[in-house]
Amino acid sequence: MELPEGSGNSLGTLIAPGFVRLVGGESPCSGRVEIRDGDEWKTVCDSDFGPKAADVVCREFQCGAALSVPRAADFGEGVGAMWDRELQCVGNESFLMLCPRGSPRDQPCTHKNTAGVTCTRFRLVNGRTACEGRVEVQVLGTWGTLCASRWDLSDAHVLCRHLDCGFAESIPRGGHFGRGTGPVWRDSFHCDGTEAHLGQCPVTALGASPCSHENDAAVICSGPASSTSLRLVGGGSRCDGRVEIFQRGTWGRVLDDEWDMQEASVVCRQLRCGEAETAYNPPKPQRETGAVGLRGARCAGHEAKLTLCNTSLPESALAAGIAEDVGVVCWGSRQVRLVNGPGRCAGRVEIYHQGSWGTVCDDGWDLSDAAVVCHQLGCGGAVEAVGSTRFGEGSGQIWLDSVNCSGAEAALWECPAGSWGQHDCGHKEDAGVVCSDFMALRLQNSTNCSGRLQVFYNGTWGTICSNSMTPKTVSLACKELGCGDGGSLVTRLPYGRVSGPTWLDRVECGERNSSFWQCPSAPWDPQSCDDLRDETHITCNGTQPETPPAPGTMCPNSTSCTDREKIRAVGGENGCSGRVEVWHRGSWGTVCDDSWDMQDAQVACRQLGCGPAVSALDEAPFGEGMGPIWLEQVECRGTEPSLQDCWARPGDSGACRHKEDAAVHCSAAPTTAAPTTRPDPTQGVPTGSGRVSLPVIICIILGALLCLVLALLAGQVRSARAGRGGSGRAWEPFPEAVYEEIGYSPAWEKQARFSGSGSNSEGSLTKLQPYPGDSKEEDGPGSAADVPVLPGGDPADGYDDARQVSDPGEDHGPGQGDWETARAPEEAAGPRDAPGESTGYDDAEEVSLAHPPEDTQALPPELSAQQSLSPGPGEPIPAVQLGAARREERSVQLGEP
């Protein structure tokens, strides 16, 4: 889906042929208004351009409605002549050139007073104010409601901020603002709450479940800024940072030299951010020099707003100390994220606490803990709980250790665990997760870039059916696979029955889709089709590199590159200054300098291991690069661990050239560290390398000595008993026992294990059960564990054969390599099992925001009962099939592409 506000479009100009254009905005739907007069573009004076004219411009550009009419200071001053007539629009005109015009103006207008406009495709409907209501989105000129199945407070905060309505106070459910009309957009936004607008959030539509007007998204925002409004700036979330207050139409600093927890508590309460954790004075680099909104406040701690505290302090009190900027950290600032993984729903677990990101130790880390993280991130259920730096070692604090969740907690920090920051771990024990909504593409039985198209979802590979497959769908699939930008659908397939899950059908990508994951489709269903002729086989027009890149010149291993290995600075004196290049899809490419600034440079220098940024450079100061331009309009907040974690637009639009390559100059010399590999996130437990460590050798020696001692003791006991047995005393109460070998079968042990509660042993590295229809004969040995290896956070960039190992906690005997059936789920369900529930839907129209079909119907999937399976030696560790059953409203969508 492409949205105008920040949808990835580079800074540019959108022109309605012949008359009007918007210049200098952050997207084509915002900017300074200029009108063509003859052969010359003229800037429009703000006094000649009102809200009705702004609505006409937004309608003409198919950009929704006018959000605001800002002054040109937001978009830069124009040059050249000024338009000298008033635009007297009624508001219902289709084009600006149809608006009546006034007579020439007598008073001159300068470029400091030029008009601008910002459009939005979002609006709130049927509320008491403009800052509450049902969420509606305009797509292709049609307004429709947004489905609430994945709508959460983070998304709502972003929308409220974008609409100049403060922050989100609540997100009512159940048609609170009435039933909408028209289409229901099923697209899901995945915001972290810090984005400037919803266009910066990842969006998915593939596999979305049906939705009706009974489930329309809604929000109640706090309202426009007033004289009592507060905000926190410079932090990593909405609920931490330096305090600012809105006074006399502008935001100003709050200064205080006796700022403490009582004042901080009032600020956190006013912002609906929970209790205060910390009150502080920011260090000098974070202090500002702008206008002061409030100087000094004395609170009792129970006030509802900061302005209700004593702010009329005597001059003597204000002069007693040097007043400084003040800041707070509230409970609501805590966040969780997944880092260094192949997608939004797989990676190393990190928590934002006390203003900094830190990791979680993997001691006792299991599926119940992972399930809380996955649900918290809107990534479905947990497929695997991983540790031992599967996704690389983190840095900084290790915030939590010995986490012991039940699986029902709303947030990871609600689980029983050690005290914050108390641990006995190193970063080599950082925990990670793989969630069910992590997805990837592959071509099975592929000859380079030709084969059967499959999607990885819910921990299992499954086929994509070809019904309603469009050429654009094939093109985006090839692009996602790194196999060129086009391809063809293979027909004349043999008759037969499909083996294994068939996850998707009716994938219908349109011209406005920029990613395969944004395409509309039927809901996820492991039985989407059953005929081999319906499977999707494609041939792409590109090729994948067959040999690994040469060490030192390229990322040493495209299947396990760390963030540090995915960036380099080229052309400078050392590795800490030069043209910024990033590794993606098997090659190095540059970054466009559109919107490149110090925040982006800070992230690049941090990723390079080169300390803080000194400068952010543009226009290829270290020479023009070669090859692709991978990123455009990078918009980092400055706290991200890598450029790949920042919002950016793919650089394949052709809007940039290598003369616009971005560069950095960092403060430190490059540091080297042993690279950490990132194995496949869905791979089973890795086997050892065959090298035996010193502790293992010591254990073997001690074990041998213990066995020798026990053998000697047994001999002495036998001799003593033989001596006593020769006396033939009939009164002896314990005659010598006769021992015989009792047969032992590991199958009994397995049966006993599976007839228990069904819970996994603590600390075990476990996946849940696979789809029972998988066939080893179909895919060959080990196919069930075939999993994607995805560099750079980009799914399906290459694959390795997964390793297959047995559960290290089981001692299998000979002949125990076959799957064995456990008892039925209703008998073996443990306290952590959460059965899915089927949900009914009405027949409301459901379409994707990116490509709304005229008449779309989708039926909810029906899943058959699944049996628990126990893997034997040499077989893959299974993964659960959550299928299409809905646990909650938030678990029916997919993850980030």
Side-chain angles (χ1 to χ4, degrees):
M1 175 180 61
E2 294 190 22
L3 298 174
E5 41 281 325
S7 60
N9 300 292
S10 59
L11 298 178
T13 299
L14 186 61
I15 303 174
F19 193 67
V20 64
R21 68 181 183 182
L22 300 178
V23 180
E26 66 175 10
S27 78
C29 289
S30 66
R32 185 178 63 252
V33 181
E34 293 187 358
I35 290 178
R36 177 183 288 275
D37 187 9
D39 295 331
E40 184 179 12
W41 286 103
K42 295 183 178 181
T43 305
V44 178
C45 186
D46 58 4
S47 61
D48 295 334
F49 189 86
K52 292 182 179 179
D55 284 333
V56 174
V57 170
C58 293
R59 184 182 305 112
E60 183 170 350
F61 291 155
Q62 294 188 354
C63 289
L67 176 63
S68 62
V69 186
R71 291 183 176 272
D74 296 328
F75 308 117
E77 296 184 7
V79 294
M82 298 290 298
W83 176 262
D84 61 354
R85 294 173 181 266
E86 181 182 4
L87 294 164
Q88 301 172 342
C89 300
V90 176
N92 58 1
E93 295 87 352
S94 300
F95 302 96
L96 189 67
M97 64 185 305
L98 299 179
C99 294
R101 306 168 199 176
S103 57
R105 181 185 352 95
D106 295 331
Q107 298 294 327
C109 184
T110 68
H111 284 290
K112 293 183 179 180
N113 298 314
T114 54
V117 63
T118 297
C119 308
T120 180
R121 288 189 178 180
F122 299 91
R123 69 184 183 187
L124 300 179
V125 178
N126 214 31
R128 294 173 299 177
T129 69
C131 290
E132 64 175 46
R134 186 176 61 247
V135 180
E136 293 194 350
V137 187
Q138 187 193 63
V139 178
L140 299 177
T142 301
W143 288 96
T145 58
L146 185 67
C147 183
S149 61
R150 296 292 288 273
W151 181 251
D152 60 20
L153 270 175
S154 295
D155 305 330
H157 283 315
V158 175
L159 180 59
C160 290
R161 183 184 305 116
H162 173 59
L163 296 176
D164 294 328
C165 286
F167 58 88
E169 293 184 344
S170 63
I171 47 174
R173 304 283 185 178
H176 184 81
F177 293 103
R179 290 171 55 94
T181 58
V184 179
W185 310 126
R186 292 187 294 162
D187 298 59
S188 297
F189 295 91
H190 307 287
C191 307
D192 63 24
T194 61
E195 296 86 352
H197 40 72
L198 287 174
Q200 290 184 349
C201 304
V203 183
T204 57
L206 195 72
S209 294
C211 195
S212 73
H213 282 299
E214 297 294 337
N215 197 25
D216 289 339
V219 63
I220 297 176
C221 305
S222 60
S226 64
S227 59
T228 62
S229 296
L230 299 178
R231 70 179 183 183
L232 302 178
V233 298
S237 74
R238 187 185 71 86
C239 293
D240 73 300
R242 184 172 50 80
V243 184
E244 289 189 350
I245 189 169
F246 194 76
Q247 294 283 353
R248 294 178 292 278
T250 186
W251 289 99
R253 302 152 60 202
V254 175
L255 306 181
D256 199 327
D257 60 346
E258 296 184 10
W259 186 256
D260 59 22
M261 289 294 292
Q262 291 175 306
E263 286 78 34
S265 296
V266 175
V267 171
C268 292
R269 184 181 304 113
Q270 182 174 346
L271 291 175
R272 305 284 183 93
C273 286
E275 297 296 323
E277 287 188 335
T278 305
Y280 68 96
N281 293 107
K284 287 186 178 179
Q286 297 180 19
R287 297 175 190 169
E288 293 293 327
T289 57
V292 176
L294 180 63
R295 187 184 297 270
R298 298 293 179 267
C299 302
H302 56 74
E303 294 86 351
K305 296 183 179 181
L306 188 64
T307 51
L308 297 178
C309 300
N310 182 10
T311 58
S312 302
L313 302 179
E315 292 296 329
S316 57
L318 295 175
I322 301 176
E324 298 177 343
D325 289 289
V326 298
V328 301
V329 177
C330 310
W331 282 2
S333 65
R334 294 174 185 170
Q335 303 174 63
V336 66
R337 69 182 182 186
L338 301 180
V339 176
N340 208 34
R344 190 182 66 87
C345 292
R348 182 177 67 247
V349 179
E350 291 192 353
I351 295 177
Y352 186 76
H353 176 64
Q354 291 287 359
S356 64
W357 288 97
T359 62
V360 176
C361 182
D362 64 4
D363 290 349
W365 186 254
D366 61 17
L367 276 171
S368 293
D369 309 322
V372 173
V373 174
C374 292
H375 285 301
Q376 190 174 352
L377 291 172
C379 287
V383 169
E384 188 178 2
V386 300
S388 302
T389 62
R390 170 78 68 84
F391 299 109
E393 296 184 13
S395 60
Q397 288 278 1
I398 298 176
W399 280 126
L400 292 179
D401 188 11
S402 301
V403 179
N404 186 25
C405 303
S406 69
E409 294 85 355
L412 188 62
W413 41 85
E414 294 180 4
C415 301
S419 300
W420 286 99
Q422 300 298 312
H423 61 87
D424 57 356
C425 305
H427 281 295
K428 64 182 180 181
E429 301 170 83
D430 288 341
V433 301
V434 178
C435 304
S436 62
D437 280 0
F438 163 64
M439 297 177 304
L441 287 180
R442 75 172 181 183
L443 291 174
Q444 194 191 34
N445 304 325
S446 171
T447 303
N448 205 327
C449 283
S450 178
R452 179 170 62 174
L453 184 63
Q454 290 192 319
V455 62
F456 187 85
Y457 174 72
N458 208 10
T460 306
W461 285 107
T463 299
I464 297 177
C465 305
S466 61
N467 294 309
S468 303
M469 184 74 65
T470 64
K472 181 66 174 179
T473 304
V474 176
S475 174
L476 289 179
C478 292
K479 184 177 178 181
E480 194 69 41
L481 290 164
C483 285
D485 56 2
S488 59
L489 189 66
V490 178
T491 57
R492 297 184 180 179
L493 299 175
Y495 292 87
R497 188 172 183 82
V498 175
S499 176
T502 53
W503 277 124
L504 285 172
D505 196 8
R506 302 190 181 280
V507 183
E508 302 176 5
C509 302
E511 291 303 319
R512 295 183 65 85
N513 294 118
S514 59
S515 165
F516 182 83
W517 314 110
Q518 297 176 2
C519 300
S521 73
W524 294 106
D525 183 353
Q527 297 176 346
S528 294
C529 59
D530 57 10
D531 194 319
L532 286 176
R533 292 172 297 174
D534 291 332
E535 290 187 326
T536 301
H537 292 252
I538 63 173
T539 298
C540 301
N541 61 13
T543 58
Q544 292 176 327
E546 297 182 358
T547 57
T553 58
M554 292 185 178
C555 191
N557 185 347
S558 66
T559 65
S560 59
C561 295
T562 63
D563 283 343
R564 172 64 184 84
E565 293 171 317
K566 293 177 191 169
I567 189 171
R568 65 184 183 184
V570 180
E573 296 180 357
N574 56 38
C576 286
S577 64
R579 181 178 63 253
V580 177
E581 295 189 357
V582 294
W583 175 263
H584 183 57
R585 289 182 176 167
S587 65
W588 289 102
T590 61
V591 178
C592 183
D593 64 8
D594 285 353
S595 76
W596 183 256
D597 57 20
M598 282 296 292
Q599 289 177 305
D600 308 323
Q602 290 285 10
V603 174
C605 289
R606 181 184 303 114
Q607 188 176 356
L608 286 165
C610 291
V614 175
S615 57
L617 309 172
D618 56 9
E619 297 184 354
F622 293 95
E624 296 183 11
M626 300 177 63
I629 299 174
W630 284 131
L631 297 176
E632 295 179 21
Q633 199 176 342
V634 178
E635 294 185 14
C636 300
R637 297 189 297 274
T639 59
E640 296 86 350
S642 68
L643 283 180
Q644 288 84 353
D645 293 304
C646 300
W647 181 86
R649 178 192 181 210
D652 53 4
S653 68
C656 273
R657 298 291 181 266
H658 281 297
K659 65 181 180 180
E660 301 172 81
D661 286 342
V664 295
H665 178 54
C666 308
S667 61
T671 58
T672 58
T676 59
T677 60
R678 189 184 72 204
D680 182 353
T682 57
Q683 187 175 339
V685 183
T687 59
S689 63
R691 194 177 294 175
V692 182
S693 63
L694 180 60
V696 174
I697 295 174
I698 294 174
C699 290
I700 293 173
I701 295 173
L702 292 176
L705 291 174
L706 180 59
C707 291
L708 180 60
V709 171
L710 292 175
L712 293 174
L713 290 174
Q716 292 179 357
V717 170
R718 183 181 293 271
S719 298
R721 286 180 174 176
R724 290 195 300 271
S727 62
R729 290 177 289 183
W731 53 265
E732 185 173 9
F734 300 104
E736 182 175 354
V738 178
Y739 296 88
E740 72 179 50
E741 188 75 11
I742 298 177
Y744 167 74
S745 172
W748 299 351
E749 182 182 23
K750 278 193 175 184
Q751 185 175 0
R753 288 179 58 190
F754 281 97
S755 62
S757 66
S759 62
N760 298 307
S761 60
E762 182 175 345
S764 65
L765 194 61
T766 312
K767 290 185 181 180
L768 303 181
Q769 317 305 327
Y771 177 71
D774 285 341
S775 170
K776 290 188 287 185
E777 289 77 4
E778 168 67 16
D779 296 329
S783 63
D786 254 353
V787 289
V789 182
L790 308 169
D794 190 87
D797 195 11
Y799 313 99
D800 283 346
D801 290 333
R803 301 174 182 170
Q804 303 170 354
V805 296
S806 61
D807 188 339
E810 294 186 9
D811 183 14
H812 297 288
Q816 297 301 317
D818 294 332
W819 296 86
E820 297 190 24
T821 304
R823 78 168 50 181
E826 62 270 21
E827 297 175 336
R832 290 180 174 182
D833 296 335
E837 297 179 0
S838 63
T839 304
Y841 306 91
D842 64 16
D843 294 327
E845 184 181 358
E846 303 142 4
V847 287
S848 163
L849 284 144
H851 184 61
E854 293 182 0
D855 185 12
T856 303
Q857 291 184 343
L859 297 176
E862 297 179 357
L863 296 178
S864 60
Q866 304 172 359
Q867 293 179 328
S868 290
L869 299 178
S870 171
E875 294 193 72
I877 294 180
V880 73
Q881 283 309 317
L882 303 179
R886 295 185 52 179
R887 293 175 189 74
E888 305 173 355
E889 287 182 318
R890 291 174 51 81
S891 64
V892 297
Q893 301 284 350
L894 65 160
E896 177 188 6

